[in-house]
Amino acid sequence: MSEEITIGKEFKPAPRFRAYYFLSLIIVIVFLVAFAILPTIFAGAPLPVILAIALGISAIAVFVGAWIPMYYQSILYHLTPTEMTWRRGVWFRQTGIVPYNRITNVDIIQGPVMRYFGISDLRIQTAGYSAQPQAEIKLMGIEEPEPLRELIMAQVRGRAPVAAATGGAETSGEEGDVIAELRAIRHLLEGMAGEKR
C-alpha cells in the first residue's frame, strides 16, 4: 500500500517503478542478444565483430543500469490547490506546471509488465494538447492510480474552465475587449473582400 497522496504534499513514483525499469532493461538486452549477437554468430562472423557487438550491448546495459536509480530520484510530483507541478531528469532537467483549469482528461495506462509490478501511469491531457500524440504531463509509476485520478478530477471540477464563454453569454473585462477587437478585424476583412469584387 502506498502513502496517501494529498494536496500540498510532494510525492514520487512507487519504489517498484525502479524494478519495472530494470526488468524493461533486461527484456531489451535479451532482444538485442537474440537479434544482434545470435544472428552474427550463426552468420559466421569473426570473433572480433561478435565481441564488439557484445561489448557495445554491455556498455549500454551498464550505462542504463546506473541511470535508472538516478532518474527515479529525480522524479517529483506536487499537487497544489491550483496546479500540478512536476520535475524529472538526470542530465537534462525538465519541469512543468499544469493549472487544473486546463486539464481536460486523465487516463490510466498500464501495460503487462506494469500490471505485474502493480503500477500505472496517469496521462493528463490539457486544453490545446488533446489532439497531440503525447500527453502534456505523465505521472509515472503510480501504485494506486484511481484515487489520484479522482483527486485531480475533483480539483478540475472545482474550477471554471479555461475556455471563454461562447454564444449568448455576456462578457466583460479582457474577454469583452478581445471579442470587440475580433469583431473589428472581421469587419475590416469583410470590407477588404467586398473591395476585391
Side-chain angles (χ1 to χ4, degrees):
M1 175 101 173
S2 64
E3 189 175 325
E4 185 179 356
I5 298 170
T6 59
I7 299 295
K9 186 175 177 184
E10 294 180 338
F11 63 99
K12 297 180 74 51
R16 290 183 260 174
F17 183 63
R18 285 179 295 202
Y20 161 73
Y21 262 31
F22 278 115
L23 182 59
S24 300
L25 173 62
I26 291 169
I27 291 169
V28 168
I29 290 170
V30 167
F31 275 99
L32 286 173
V33 168
F35 293 106
I37 294 178
L38 292 179
T40 308
I41 292 171
F42 292 134
L47 185 60
V49 171
I50 296 169
L51 289 176
I53 294 172
L55 185 62
I57 292 173
S58 299
I60 291 170
V62 168
F63 178 80
V64 175
W67 171 82
I68 290 171
M70 292 187 293
Y71 183 65
Y72 176 80
Q73 284 303 113
S74 75
I75 301 172
L76 192 63
Y77 306 118
H78 187 213
L79 303 179
T80 73
T82 58
E83 63 197 13
M84 299 176 57
T85 63
W86 59 271
R87 70 169 185 181
R88 66 172 143 268
V90 177
W91 293 284
F92 300 98
R93 304 279 173 154
Q94 299 176 353
T95 60
I97 298 172
V98 178
Y100 294 123
N101 66 350
R102 291 196 51 85
I103 294 174
T104 58
N105 196 28
V106 179
D107 297 323
I108 296 174
I109 309 297
Q110 186 184 57
V113 179
M114 294 178 96
R115 193 173 304 119
Y116 173 77
F117 285 103
I119 58 175
S120 302
D121 289 346
L122 267 70
R123 185 176 62 195
I124 297 169
Q125 299 286 344
T126 59
Y129 272 77
S130 299
Q132 301 295 324
Q134 292 186 34
E136 183 166 353
I137 183 173
K138 188 189 281 189
L139 304 181
M140 303 182 298
I142 304 301
E143 206 167 22
E144 295 176 18
E146 284 293 337
L148 180 56
R149 175 167 62 178
E150 288 306 312
L151 179 63
I152 293 168
M153 291 310 293
Q155 295 297 314
V156 169
R157 287 184 207 105
R159 285 168 173 61
V162 73
T166 58
E170 292 199 18
T171 58
S172 62
E174 288 183 23
E175 288 179 6
D177 293 343
V178 170
I179 290 174
E181 187 69 25
L182 288 172
R183 285 185 179 141
I185 292 170
R186 178 180 171 193
H187 180 71
L188 286 171
L189 290 173
E190 287 174 346
M192 289 174 27
E195 290 175 8
K196 289 184 180 179
R197 290 181 194 170

